Amino acid sequence: MSWLPLSSSGDGSRFTQELLDRLRGWAQDHLTQPLDVIGREGPVCPYVGPSLRRDLTWVGRVAGAQPWSPYVRLVLADALELFPTLPPDTGGSTVLRCLVTALPDLHDYSLIDDLHDELKSEFVEQGLMLGQFYPGCTQPGLWNKDYHPLDAPIPMLVVRTMMATDFPFLLSRPEWMSAYVRKFAPSLPAHVRSVVVDRLIASNGAEVPEYHLDGPPVPQKVGAGRRQR
């Protein structure tokens, strides 16, 4: 399995080039543009534009309407190993790197959700995020729950660097919070540190603050392969 720069032209098969063209068009026409329904100012994803300009997005294609799940799992294991080696290895642009594994012929999107649920912890442990995108994905946005940012024209699993702003996506699992703290503890704002600590040490049924994008915290009840190329 190989990943090509999104900017590639004529370096792969006709099917791969069609995929690159579709993804590039979606990124330029949608992800880099403002959208009122998001609930905040700025483009849909503020990092896509700079990533495109620096040519730091790579795309791989898994063919077939019903790809073999163990094979896709091996591809993602390769992606996890490959990502830290992508250029640049130093400087601020490292956060703009993005590795896309697209499954453009896939019909059953449950494969995307299943692999995301199974493998996300392995990526988070390495300070990375694994995102699931496909047509009709209903995961809500942070600023507007009626907006679905992962609803994409092509099914794909996307690897990127974990950001400090990923905090709300990592609250649900203690091991994700631990990985987040290891990466960002020195620079966390006080109110975020408070929520993180309370989540990590809370016993079953304890009152811990719920995280809000704006406004003060509110107490909330909580409950307790082999590689292939």
Side-chain angles (χ1 to χ4, degrees):
M1 176 74 182
S2 60
W3 287 261
L4 294 173
L6 184 57
S7 62
S8 296
S9 178
D11 294 335
S13 70
R14 173 173 64 86
F15 299 105
T16 298
Q17 192 59 54
E18 289 176 356
L19 169 64
L20 294 173
D21 292 343
R22 287 181 64 194
L23 282 173
R24 192 163 51 244
W26 177 61
Q28 293 171 342
D29 298 338
H30 176 68
L31 296 179
T32 63
Q33 304 301 314
L35 195 64
D36 291 341
V37 72
I38 296 176
R40 58 160 173 78
E41 295 182 351
V44 171
C45 180
Y47 298 101
V48 169
S51 180
L52 293 178
R53 289 192 292 273
R54 292 167 175 79
D55 203 15
L56 295 178
T57 297
W58 292 264
V59 180
R61 174 176 172 266
V62 175
Q66 295 179 306
W68 190 42
S69 178
Y71 170 70
V72 183
R73 193 178 293 109
L74 285 171
V75 169
L76 293 171
D78 264 3
L80 178 59
E81 182 178 335
L82 173 65
F83 190 91
T85 72
L86 295 173
D89 56 5
T90 59
S93 292
T94 58
V95 301
L96 301 177
R97 296 176 298 176
C98 182
L99 193 63
V100 178
T101 300
L103 299 87
D105 309 312
L106 185 69
H107 294 320
D108 184 359
Y109 304 141
S110 65
L111 175 64
I112 299 285
D113 282 331
D114 290 346
L115 289 173
H116 174 263
D117 291 344
E118 176 186 343
L119 300 174
K120 179 176 176 177
S121 292
E122 295 181 29
F123 285 82
V124 170
E125 178 68 23
Q126 300 301 319
L128 305 175
M129 297 293 287
L130 179 68
Q132 80 277 38
F133 294 79
Y134 54 83
C137 184
T138 58
Q139 288 293 318
L142 281 177
W143 300 88
N144 178 1
K145 300 304 180 184
D146 294 323
Y147 171 62
H148 306 297
L150 306 183
D151 182 357
I154 297 172
M156 52 190 164
L157 287 150
V158 177
V159 185
R160 62 170 176 81
T161 300
M162 184 190 295
M163 308 284 197
T165 51
D166 286 321
F167 172 63
F169 304 118
L170 301 170
L171 277 169
S172 60
R173 302 267 294 266
E175 64 268 30
W176 295 352
M177 280 279 82
S178 295
Y180 179 88
V181 169
R182 286 196 302 273
K183 187 176 179 70
F184 296 112
S187 59
L188 290 180
H191 71 286
V192 172
R193 286 200 305 270
S194 175
V195 174
V196 170
V197 170
D198 286 341
R199 287 291 175 106
L200 289 174
I201 68 175
S203 58
N204 188 27
E207 295 276 351
V208 300
E210 180 182 5
Y211 180 74
H212 292 272
L213 289 171
D214 47 22
V218 177
Q220 178 192 31
K221 278 277 188 181
V222 297
R226 186 169 58 88
R227 296 177 55 248
Q228 176 175 336
R229 297 205 182 271

